[in-house]
mmCIF file of all heavy atoms in Angstrom:
data_model
loop_
_atom_site.group_PDB
_atom_site.id
_atom_site.type_symbol
_atom_site.label_atom_id
_atom_site.label_comp_id
_atom_site.label_asym_id
_atom_site.label_seq_id
_atom_site.Cartn_x
_atom_site.Cartn_y
_atom_site.Cartn_z
ATOM 1 N N ILE A 22 114.522 88.335 129.882
ATOM 2 C CA ILE A 22 113.860 87.318 130.697
ATOM 3 C C ILE A 22 112.639 87.932 131.400
ATOM 4 O O ILE A 22 112.664 89.086 131.806
ATOM 5 C CB ILE A 22 114.823 86.640 131.716
ATOM 6 C CG1 ILE A 22 115.473 87.647 132.679
ATOM 7 C CG2 ILE A 22 115.897 85.853 130.997
ATOM 8 C CD1 ILE A 22 116.111 86.989 133.895
ATOM 9 N N TRP A 23 111.590 87.152 131.477
ATOM 10 C CA TRP A 23 110.342 87.516 132.156
ATOM 11 C C TRP A 23 109.626 88.727 131.542
ATOM 12 O O TRP A 23 108.695 89.257 132.113
ATOM 13 C CB TRP A 23 110.538 87.744 133.667
ATOM 14 C CG TRP A 23 111.157 86.557 134.334
ATOM 15 C CD1 TRP A 23 112.388 86.489 134.907
ATOM 16 C CD2 TRP A 23 110.586 85.246 134.450
ATOM 17 N NE1 TRP A 23 112.636 85.222 135.362
ATOM 18 C CE2 TRP A 23 111.550 84.446 135.107
ATOM 19 C CE3 TRP A 23 109.372 84.649 134.063
ATOM 20 C CZ2 TRP A 23 111.330 83.089 135.385
ATOM 21 C CZ3 TRP A 23 109.172 83.309 134.347
ATOM 22 C CH2 TRP A 23 110.126 82.558 134.999
ATOM 23 N N GLY A 45 115.782 82.873 128.047
ATOM 24 C CA GLY A 45 116.493 82.604 129.301
ATOM 25 C C GLY A 45 115.621 82.195 130.475
ATOM 26 O O GLY A 45 116.049 81.437 131.337
ATOM 27 N N SER A 46 114.386 82.670 130.525
ATOM 28 C CA SER A 46 113.513 82.334 131.663
ATOM 29 C C SER A 46 112.485 81.256 131.298
ATOM 30 O O SER A 46 111.570 80.996 132.072
ATOM 31 C CB SER A 46 112.799 83.600 132.140
ATOM 32 O OG SER A 46 112.195 84.290 131.054
ATOM 33 N N MET A 47 112.648 80.628 130.116
ATOM 34 C CA MET A 47 111.619 79.673 129.671
ATOM 35 C C MET A 47 112.129 78.233 129.716
ATOM 36 O O MET A 47 113.207 77.942 129.183
ATOM 37 C CB MET A 47 111.204 79.995 128.229
ATOM 38 C CG MET A 47 110.533 81.340 128.092
ATOM 39 S SD MET A 47 110.142 81.664 126.354
ATOM 40 C CE MET A 47 109.456 83.319 126.491
ATOM 41 N N TYR A 48 111.351 77.332 130.295
ATOM 42 C CA TYR A 48 111.660 75.912 130.172
ATOM 43 C C TYR A 48 111.508 75.552 128.691
ATOM 44 O O TYR A 48 110.758 76.224 127.965
ATOM 45 C CB TYR A 48 110.710 75.090 131.046
ATOM 46 C CG TYR A 48 111.105 75.145 132.517
ATOM 47 C CD1 TYR A 48 110.524 76.078 133.382
ATOM 48 C CD2 TYR A 48 112.082 74.292 133.013
ATOM 49 C CE1 TYR A 48 110.917 76.155 134.709
ATOM 50 C CE2 TYR A 48 112.476 74.359 134.339
ATOM 51 C CZ TYR A 48 111.896 75.287 135.187
ATOM 52 O OH TYR A 48 112.295 75.357 136.489
ATOM 53 N N PRO A 49 112.200 74.499 128.226
ATOM 54 C CA PRO A 49 112.191 74.201 126.788
ATOM 55 C C PRO A 49 110.799 74.156 126.154
ATOM 56 O O PRO A 49 110.583 74.794 125.117
ATOM 57 C CB PRO A 49 112.900 72.845 126.713
ATOM 58 C CG PRO A 49 113.880 72.904 127.853
ATOM 59 C CD PRO A 49 113.170 73.643 128.950
ATOM 60 N N ASN A 70 116.376 85.121 121.629
ATOM 61 C CA ASN A 70 117.618 85.395 122.365
ATOM 62 C C ASN A 70 117.929 84.220 123.271
ATOM 63 O O ASN A 70 117.097 83.801 124.074
ATOM 64 C CB ASN A 70 117.509 86.671 123.206
ATOM 65 C CG ASN A 70 118.689 86.851 124.159
ATOM 66 O OD1 ASN A 70 118.514 87.123 125.336
ATOM 67 N ND2 ASN A 70 119.898 86.675 123.681
ATOM 68 N N PRO A 72 120.574 83.034 126.031
ATOM 69 C CA PRO A 72 121.744 83.237 126.888
ATOM 70 C C PRO A 72 122.502 81.905 126.950
ATOM 71 O O PRO A 72 121.917 80.882 127.315
ATOM 72 C CB PRO A 72 121.142 83.604 128.246
ATOM 73 C CG PRO A 72 119.676 83.819 128.011
ATOM 74 C CD PRO A 72 119.312 83.045 126.794
ATOM 75 N N LEU A 74 124.467 80.684 128.898
ATOM 76 C CA LEU A 74 124.657 80.085 130.216
ATOM 77 C C LEU A 74 123.405 79.313 130.673
ATOM 78 O O LEU A 74 123.357 78.762 131.766
ATOM 79 C CB LEU A 74 125.042 81.150 131.251
ATOM 80 C CG LEU A 74 124.273 82.480 131.308
ATOM 81 C CD1 LEU A 74 122.900 82.338 131.911
ATOM 82 C CD2 LEU A 74 125.070 83.520 132.051
ATOM 83 N N TYR A 75 122.392 79.251 129.810
ATOM 84 C CA TYR A 75 121.138 78.578 130.182
ATOM 85 C C TYR A 75 121.393 77.092 130.485
ATOM 86 O O TYR A 75 122.093 76.417 129.741
ATOM 87 C CB TYR A 75 120.134 78.739 129.022
ATOM 88 C CG TYR A 75 118.796 78.128 129.323
ATOM 89 C CD1 TYR A 75 117.884 78.782 130.136
ATOM 90 C CD2 TYR A 75 118.456 76.871 128.827
ATOM 91 C CE1 TYR A 75 116.674 78.209 130.437
ATOM 92 C CE2 TYR A 75 117.236 76.286 129.120
ATOM 93 C CZ TYR A 75 116.344 76.963 129.925
ATOM 94 O OH TYR A 75 115.141 76.392 130.226
ATOM 95 N N PRO A 76 120.794 76.566 131.580
ATOM 96 C CA PRO A 76 121.094 75.189 131.971
ATOM 97 C C PRO A 76 120.733 74.109 130.929
ATOM 98 O O PRO A 76 121.467 73.147 130.785
ATOM 99 C CB PRO A 76 120.293 74.989 133.274
ATOM 100 C CG PRO A 76 119.364 76.151 133.380
ATOM 101 C CD PRO A 76 119.958 77.259 132.577
ATOM 102 N N ASP A 77 119.606 74.256 130.221
ATOM 103 C CA ASP A 77 119.209 73.238 129.222
ATOM 104 C C ASP A 77 119.428 73.756 127.804
ATOM 105 O O ASP A 77 118.561 73.619 126.939
ATOM 106 C CB ASP A 77 117.725 72.878 129.400
ATOM 107 C CG ASP A 77 117.513 71.987 130.597
ATOM 108 O OD1 ASP A 77 118.372 71.126 130.845
ATOM 109 O OD2 ASP A 77 116.497 72.168 131.298
ATOM 110 N N SER A 96 123.950 85.404 123.763
ATOM 111 C CA SER A 96 124.546 86.318 124.754
ATOM 112 C C SER A 96 125.125 85.506 125.900
ATOM 113 O O SER A 96 124.841 84.306 126.013
ATOM 114 C CB SER A 96 123.479 87.291 125.284
ATOM 115 O OG SER A 96 122.363 86.589 125.777
ATOM 116 N N HIS A 145 122.204 91.824 132.776
ATOM 117 C CA HIS A 145 123.605 91.403 132.742
ATOM 118 C C HIS A 145 124.431 92.342 131.878
ATOM 119 O O HIS A 145 123.978 92.794 130.832
ATOM 120 C CB HIS A 145 123.704 89.965 132.236
ATOM 121 C CG HIS A 145 123.234 88.987 133.261
ATOM 122 N ND1 HIS A 145 123.567 87.665 133.240
ATOM 123 C CD2 HIS A 145 122.456 89.174 134.343
ATOM 124 C CE1 HIS A 145 123.009 87.064 134.278
ATOM 125 N NE2 HIS A 145 122.325 87.963 134.963
ATOM 126 N N GLY A 260 119.967 83.506 146.261
ATOM 127 C CA GLY A 260 118.988 82.415 146.304
ATOM 128 C C GLY A 260 118.551 82.024 144.906
ATOM 129 O O GLY A 260 119.276 82.236 143.937
ATOM 130 N N ARG A 261 117.325 81.488 144.790
ATOM 131 C CA ARG A 261 116.848 81.029 143.484
ATOM 132 C C ARG A 261 115.639 81.845 143.038
ATOM 133 O O ARG A 261 114.838 82.268 143.859
ATOM 134 C CB ARG A 261 116.485 79.537 143.575
ATOM 135 C CG ARG A 261 116.210 78.931 142.219
ATOM 136 C CD ARG A 261 115.816 77.481 142.280
ATOM 137 N NE ARG A 261 115.353 77.071 140.958
ATOM 138 C CZ ARG A 261 114.141 77.307 140.496
ATOM 139 N NH1 ARG A 261 113.253 77.897 141.261
ATOM 140 N NH2 ARG A 261 113.809 76.937 139.266
ATOM 141 N N ALA A 262 115.577 82.057 141.742
ATOM 142 C CA ALA A 262 114.416 82.685 141.088
ATOM 143 C C ALA A 262 114.107 84.099 141.597
ATOM 144 O O ALA A 262 112.951 84.505 141.626
ATOM 145 C CB ALA A 262 113.197 81.775 141.194
ATOM 146 N N ARG A 263 115.135 84.837 141.990
ATOM 147 C CA ARG A 263 114.958 86.247 142.419
ATOM 148 C C ARG A 263 114.407 87.108 141.287
ATOM 149 O O ARG A 263 113.637 88.028 141.509
ATOM 150 C CB ARG A 263 116.303 86.847 142.801
ATOM 151 C CG ARG A 263 116.762 86.502 144.155
ATOM 152 C CD ARG A 263 116.253 87.467 145.191
ATOM 153 N NE ARG A 263 116.885 87.140 146.451
ATOM 154 C CZ ARG A 263 116.546 87.670 147.600
ATOM 155 N NH1 ARG A 263 115.574 88.570 147.669
ATOM 156 N NH2 ARG A 263 117.156 87.314 148.695
ATOM 157 N N ALA A 264 114.900 86.807 140.071
ATOM 158 C CA ALA A 264 114.478 87.608 138.911
ATOM 159 C C ALA A 264 112.989 87.382 138.644
ATOM 160 O O ALA A 264 112.238 88.327 138.398
ATOM 161 C CB ALA A 264 115.314 87.233 137.692
ATOM 162 N N LYS A 265 112.567 86.137 138.722
ATOM 163 C CA LYS A 265 111.143 85.826 138.512
ATOM 164 C C LYS A 265 110.291 86.529 139.574
ATOM 165 O O LYS A 265 109.276 87.166 139.269
ATOM 166 C CB LYS A 265 110.941 84.310 138.591
ATOM 167 C CG LYS A 265 109.515 83.877 138.385
ATOM 168 C CD LYS A 265 109.389 82.382 138.581
ATOM 169 C CE LYS A 265 107.982 81.914 138.291
ATOM 170 N NZ LYS A 265 107.836 80.473 138.577
ATOM 171 N N GLU A 277 114.657 90.625 142.170
ATOM 172 C CA GLU A 277 115.737 91.221 141.373
ATOM 173 C C GLU A 277 115.089 91.962 140.215
ATOM 174 O O GLU A 277 114.406 91.356 139.388
ATOM 175 C CB GLU A 277 116.633 90.084 140.861
ATOM 176 C CG GLU A 277 117.892 90.534 140.192
ATOM 177 C CD GLU A 277 118.758 89.347 139.716
ATOM 178 O OE1 GLU A 277 118.449 88.182 140.037
ATOM 179 O OE2 GLU A 277 119.728 89.609 138.998
ATOM 180 N N GLU A 279 115.785 93.858 137.052
ATOM 181 C CA GLU A 279 116.787 94.187 136.030
ATOM 182 C C GLU A 279 116.225 95.232 135.071
ATOM 183 O O GLU A 279 115.250 94.972 134.372
ATOM 184 C CB GLU A 279 117.160 92.924 135.250
ATOM 185 C CG GLU A 279 117.756 91.836 136.121
ATOM 186 C CD GLU A 279 118.171 90.607 135.352
ATOM 187 O OE1 GLU A 279 118.213 90.655 134.104
ATOM 188 O OE2 GLU A 279 118.447 89.585 135.996
HETATM 189 P P1 NDP B 1 117.814 81.239 139.016
HETATM 190 O O1 NDP B 1 118.745 80.059 139.069
HETATM 191 O O2 NDP B 1 117.700 82.144 140.174
HETATM 192 O O3 NDP B 1 116.353 80.693 138.694
HETATM 193 C C1 NDP B 1 116.083 79.959 137.539
HETATM 194 C C2 NDP B 1 114.836 80.594 136.953
HETATM 195 O O4 NDP B 1 114.732 80.257 135.585
HETATM 196 C C3 NDP B 1 113.588 80.121 137.641
HETATM 197 O O5 NDP B 1 112.727 81.210 137.829
HETATM 198 C C4 NDP B 1 113.019 79.090 136.682
HETATM 199 O O6 NDP B 1 111.605 79.130 136.621
HETATM 200 C C5 NDP B 1 113.563 79.524 135.328
HETATM 201 N N1 NDP B 1 113.951 78.436 134.433
HETATM 202 C C6 NDP B 1 113.645 78.382 133.118
HETATM 203 N N2 NDP B 1 114.166 77.300 132.560
HETATM 204 C C7 NDP B 1 114.829 76.640 133.532
HETATM 205 C C8 NDP B 1 115.588 75.435 133.556
HETATM 206 N N3 NDP B 1 115.755 74.674 132.483
HETATM 207 N N4 NDP B 1 116.149 75.059 134.731
HETATM 208 C C9 NDP B 1 115.997 75.802 135.836
HETATM 209 N N5 NDP B 1 115.271 76.941 135.870
HETATM 210 C C10 NDP B 1 114.708 77.368 134.722
HETATM 211 O O7 NDP B 1 118.285 82.022 137.694
HETATM 212 P P2 NDP B 1 117.942 83.495 137.152
HETATM 213 O O8 NDP B 1 116.505 83.800 137.358
HETATM 214 O O9 NDP B 1 118.953 84.468 137.644
HETATM 215 O O10 NDP B 1 118.246 83.250 135.612
HETATM 216 C C11 NDP B 1 117.512 82.309 134.904
HETATM 217 C C12 NDP B 1 118.119 82.152 133.541
HETATM 218 O O11 NDP B 1 117.935 83.384 132.826
HETATM 219 C C13 NDP B 1 119.616 81.927 133.523
HETATM 220 O O12 NDP B 1 119.915 80.542 133.496
HETATM 221 C C14 NDP B 1 120.017 82.569 132.248
HETATM 222 O O13 NDP B 1 119.864 81.625 131.206
HETATM 223 C C15 NDP B 1 119.023 83.635 132.010
HETATM 224 N N6 NDP B 1 119.460 85.008 132.219
HETATM 225 C C16 NDP B 1 119.860 85.708 131.148
HETATM 226 C C17 NDP B 1 120.178 87.021 131.206
HETATM 227 C C18 NDP B 1 120.661 87.733 130.004
HETATM 228 O O14 NDP B 1 121.072 87.154 129.036
HETATM 229 N N7 NDP B 1 120.658 89.049 129.992
HETATM 230 C C19 NDP B 1 120.022 87.759 132.448
HETATM 231 C C20 NDP B 1 119.651 86.942 133.558
HETATM 232 C C21 NDP B 1 119.363 85.621 133.421
HETATM 233 P P3 NDP B 1 110.681 78.485 137.782
HETATM 234 O O15 NDP B 1 110.812 79.429 138.944
HETATM 235 O O16 NDP B 1 109.327 78.553 137.156
HETATM 236 O O17 NDP B 1 111.187 77.121 138.037
#
Side-chain angles (χ1 to χ4, degrees):
I22 58 165
W23 304 114
S46 50
M47 295 178 183
Y48 283 94
N70 170 228
L74 46 74
Y75 182 78
D77 284 323
S96 54
H145 287 200
R261 190 182 170 279
R263 279 272 187 189
K265 180 184 184 184
E277 188 179 352
E279 299 182 12

